[in-house]
Amino acid sequence: MQQLPYTAPPPPQHAGDTPKNGLGTASLVTGILAIVFSWIPFAGFLSYPLALVGIGTGAGGIGKARRRQATNGGTATAGLVLSILGLVSVVLATVVYVGLLYAAGNAADEAMRSSRLPTTSSTIEPSAGSTHGAAKVAKIGQSVRDGKFEFTVVKVTHATHVGDSVFGENAQGRYTIVQLRIKNIGNESQSLLDDNQYAYDAKGRKFSADSSADIALSGTDKGATWFNEINPGNSVHGKIAFDMPAKAKAVKIELHDSMFSDGVTVSLR
């Protein structure tokens, strides 16, 4: 029998012999995009997922290169670095933009408050019969201006109960009741709120108005001072009650046309 010549078998083929460079390439692309988008307003939020994807694919690409399953280890490393820089960049951009928006909001609020305060704010006009050269702090009977309102304190009284027997209010201590005349000297309507007015005693303690008592008082007055919308040129008369300790005495009242105004002070001594 004739013997056939020996032929060596071909070398085995391994599925992993073909380099898989997709992760490294993806990391490089997403890292570049993360940096590009990071400082673009609103679009910059895309940098967060792009950077995270780039970090993940970059780490995976480096791992494949070390196992000799990929040949672009340098590309994967560059993608990982760029993705980390993109994440840092978008975080920094977010902090900067939030700070700018916060500063712009504060500037807008300040501008709004300034626009509500006319140049006549906080001036004192002596009432009829007062002497020339009034003191800087107004007294009872003198007119003072804050914003769109002209205030005149008419008198101060005290009570432990206000209103009637049905819709009345009892003081925790004693009510200091300030009777006022308020005129709108502006060109637009303005809301009068008792919550914007404050009384002080000799110890410097600050007292807020008692809205429940003011509502009870407004039932018998010509105008409500707990809340009233006053049109230009119109005036209202009313009373504001401050629930103070029985032995405390209000020495001054601070009057505001709004919660944003500087206010004016009238001595109650």
Side-chain angles (χ1 to χ4, degrees):
M1 178 184 292
Q2 186 179 2
Q3 186 176 6
L4 296 175
Y6 173 77
T7 303
Q13 299 292 325
H14 299 285
D17 286 349
T18 302
K20 295 181 179 179
N21 295 323
L23 290 179
T25 303
S27 177
L28 181 64
V29 172
T30 53
I32 293 173
L33 291 177
I35 293 177
V36 170
F37 283 116
S38 63
W39 288 94
I40 300 177
F42 302 108
F45 289 107
L46 294 173
S47 292
Y48 282 104
L50 287 172
L52 294 176
V53 170
I55 292 172
T57 54
I62 292 173
K64 280 184 172 293
R66 289 176 178 175
R67 294 191 298 270
R68 301 184 184 280
Q69 296 174 343
T71 59
N72 63 343
T75 301
T77 301
L80 176 62
V81 172
L82 290 175
S83 298
I84 294 174
L85 290 177
L87 183 61
V88 172
S89 182
V90 70
V91 170
L92 179 61
T94 301
V95 172
V96 171
Y97 285 137
V98 169
L100 291 175
L101 289 174
Y102 181 78
N106 285 343
D109 290 342
E110 185 65 28
M112 182 182 69
R113 286 193 291 266
S114 298
S115 66
R116 292 172 64 89
L117 297 174
T119 56
T120 57
S121 175
S122 302
T123 59
I124 301 175
E125 294 184 359
S127 61
S130 63
T131 59
H132 179 70
K136 291 183 179 180
V137 177
K139 298 180 179 179
I140 295 175
Q142 291 182 325
S143 297
V144 291
R145 293 184 175 185
D146 182 71
K148 296 183 178 68
F149 285 155
E150 179 184 82
F151 298 94
T152 305
V153 176
V154 178
K155 65 179 180 179
V156 179
T157 58
H158 301 88
T160 56
H161 177 88
V162 294
D164 53 32
S165 59
V166 179
F167 299 104
E169 291 289 331
N170 292 316
Q172 298 173 356
R174 183 181 67 163
Y175 289 122
T176 295
I177 304 170
V178 181
Q179 184 174 333
L180 293 163
R181 181 177 71 248
I182 306 99
K183 180 180 180 180
N184 187 336
I185 58 174
N187 297 319
E188 299 175 343
S189 64
Q190 180 76 354
S191 297
L192 171 67
L193 294 173
D194 62 350
D195 282 341
N196 296 331
Q197 323 309 329
Y198 304 98
Y200 293 82
D201 66 2
K203 296 180 180 180
R205 294 181 294 183
K206 183 178 182 179
F207 297 86
S208 299
D210 189 324
S211 295
S212 297
D214 292 341
I215 292 173
L217 285 168
S218 67
T220 57
D221 289 342
K222 297 180 181 179
T225 49
W226 66 277
F227 175 79
N228 204 322
E229 190 75 17
I230 307 176
N231 280 319
N234 287 345
S235 300
V236 298
H237 294 72
K239 299 174 182 178
I240 299 180
F242 301 91
D243 194 346
M244 303 176 64
K247 295 183 179 180
K249 182 178 180 181
V251 297
K252 64 180 180 180
I253 185 171
E254 187 177 281
L255 301 167
H256 296 261
D257 89 320
S258 73
M259 64 183 297
F260 301 111
S261 72
D262 291 336
V264 285
T265 301
V266 176
S267 175
L268 303 179
R269 295 179 185 270

